[in-house]
Amino acid sequence: MDTFSLLFYTFAAVLVFAGFRVITAKSPVSAALHLVLAFFSASCVWMLLQAEFLAISLVLVYVGAVMVLFLFVVMMLDINIDSIRQGFWKHFPLAGGIGAVIAVEMAFVLTRGFDLPSAKPFPPDVAKVPNAKALGIELFTHYLFPVQIAAVILLVAIIAAIALTLRKRKDSHFQSPSEQVRVKKGDRLRVVKLAPTIEAPVAPAAEAAPQNGGQA
């Protein structure tokens, strides 16, 4: 077995173990940490397959942003695991059926997608280009319109999230940006004149009597 195969099977085994621990860990923090390990292992596998752009994107986007957010949210919410596990076996048949359907669909798509005889090889001039540059050329030339549609959908999602966060509710503080723009100094600052107050001097304390019992 060569070095490439050894590294591939090592990272694949770590990825399978980490994925198994994600769904079997009792603590949500432990599950999130094992998911981070799974992402790192998948990134290493992609690096072995010379997909550097996907590997770095997985580390930067998921491990560096999404998983850190998940971990902080899980730690701050203090989730009660006992209440979540109630009714697990009651809903297990439905969840298992849905999971089986998803697995069959993914297997069908993947087996048809790996039809290597119908795959066209890259031209000699494109094969020498780094995969990040080749992916950028494909996205912004042949798939420019779908990329723009995805960007608009993400923009709408961001605006909707902000609108839902800033909507008027009884338990939240709402600020009107138009009122903040039209604010003036006189509306926020008022100068008040106060009369000076002079305190009377305090008389010094009387001297203590001599401790030897003599007359003052």
Side-chain angles (χ1 to χ4, degrees):
M1 181 181 296
D2 55 351
T3 306
F4 180 85
S5 300
L6 179 61
L7 291 176
F8 177 81
Y9 286 115
T10 301
F11 291 133
V14 174
L15 177 59
V16 172
F17 170 76
F20 180 76
R21 287 294 300 163
V22 168
I23 61 177
T24 57
K26 296 181 179 180
S27 173
V29 177
S30 178
L33 293 176
H34 280 93
L35 187 56
V36 172
L37 179 60
F39 284 149
F40 269 113
S41 302
S43 177
C44 294
V45 172
W46 282 349
M47 192 72 72
L48 291 176
L49 299 177
Q50 298 181 357
E52 295 87 2
F53 179 78
L54 294 178
I56 298 300
S57 300
L58 182 63
V59 173
L60 293 180
V61 176
Y62 285 93
V63 178
V66 178
M67 283 310 306
V68 173
L69 178 62
F70 283 176
L71 190 58
F72 275 101
V73 169
V74 167
M75 294 177 67
M76 287 188 297
L77 289 180
D78 193 12
I79 302 174
N80 189 4
I81 305 299
D82 296 332
S83 61
I84 296 177
R85 292 179 178 176
Q86 293 179 357
F88 174 78
W89 294 107
K90 179 181 178 181
H91 303 285
F92 180 77
L94 178 60
I98 295 175
V101 172
I102 294 175
V104 172
E105 291 179 352
M106 291 183 63
F108 178 75
V109 173
L110 291 176
T111 51
R112 292 178 62 88
F114 286 127
D115 191 6
L116 297 180
S118 62
K120 297 181 180 179
F122 283 104
D125 54 345
V126 180
K128 298 179 181 179
V129 178
N131 53 12
K133 185 177 181 179
L135 182 60
I137 293 173
E138 288 291 330
L139 287 179
F140 295 103
T141 53
H142 300 90
Y143 300 97
L144 180 60
F145 186 65
V147 169
Q148 290 180 347
I149 293 178
V152 172
I153 293 175
L154 291 175
L155 179 61
V156 172
I158 293 173
I159 296 175
I162 296 174
L164 291 175
T165 305
L166 297 179
R167 70 182 187 273
K168 294 183 178 180
R169 295 181 302 180
K170 296 181 179 179
D171 57 344
S172 64
H173 299 282
F174 178 79
Q175 295 179 352
S176 178
S178 60
E179 295 180 0
Q180 290 181 343
V181 172
R182 294 195 301 266
V183 70
K184 297 180 180 180
K185 182 178 66 175
D187 300 335
R188 298 299 179 96
L189 179 64
R190 185 177 62 177
V191 179
V192 180
K193 293 183 179 181
L194 298 176
T197 302
I198 302 176
E199 297 181 356
V202 180
E207 295 181 357
Q211 297 181 0
N212 55 5
Q215 296 180 355

